[in-house]
Amino acid sequence: MITIFNRESLWIGRDMKRFNEMRDVLEREKIPYTYRTRSSGNRWMGHGTARGSFGSVGSSIDLMYEYEIFVLRKDLERARYLVNTY
């Protein structure tokens, strides 16, 4: 089981395609992982979010989400090697 006490961040980025490729590699190699997704459109401005107040015109949808993949500390080096070779 992966917890905040035994995990390390493998990757942080905004590229959904790369995020899914890395997850596929980890699943194929049976390396346990977990991930977190953050939305940059949810910033509080008092009456709502910035996106809700001003819209998303001109903002790239790719930049609205940030992805982070975590693996067990003991699997970190192997996972780094595998995701960089595929």
Side-chain angles (χ1 to χ4, degrees):
M1 180 173 173
I2 298 177
T3 68
I4 61 170
F5 302 110
N6 67 357
R7 71 182 186 187
E8 288 289 328
S9 179
L10 173 65
W11 179 78
I12 299 173
R14 295 185 182 272
D15 184 357
M16 180 188 273
K17 182 179 177 194
R18 181 70 177 138
F19 171 67
N20 287 323
E21 288 171 351
M22 294 175 89
R23 289 178 51 212
D24 289 342
V25 169
L26 295 172
E27 286 179 16
R28 185 172 40 250
E29 297 295 328
K30 300 196 181 352
I31 296 176
Y33 70 93
T34 187
Y35 63 89
R36 178 179 12 189
T37 304
R38 289 185 215 115
S39 172
S40 63
N42 291 336
R43 305 207 187 246
W44 178 255
M45 291 191 56
H47 296 289
T49 62
R51 184 174 177 204
S53 299
F54 303 111
S56 58
V57 176
S59 298
S60 172
I61 194 75
D62 296 333
L63 300 177
M64 298 203 59
Y65 295 98
E66 181 178 82
Y67 308 99
E68 186 169 12
I69 299 175
F70 300 97
V71 295
L72 290 170
R73 224 175 253 135
K74 67 181 183 76
D75 295 330
L76 181 62
E77 291 304 316
R78 181 171 170 244
R80 279 187 182 155
Y81 173 77
L82 291 169
V83 299
N84 288 324
T85 56
Y86 282 98

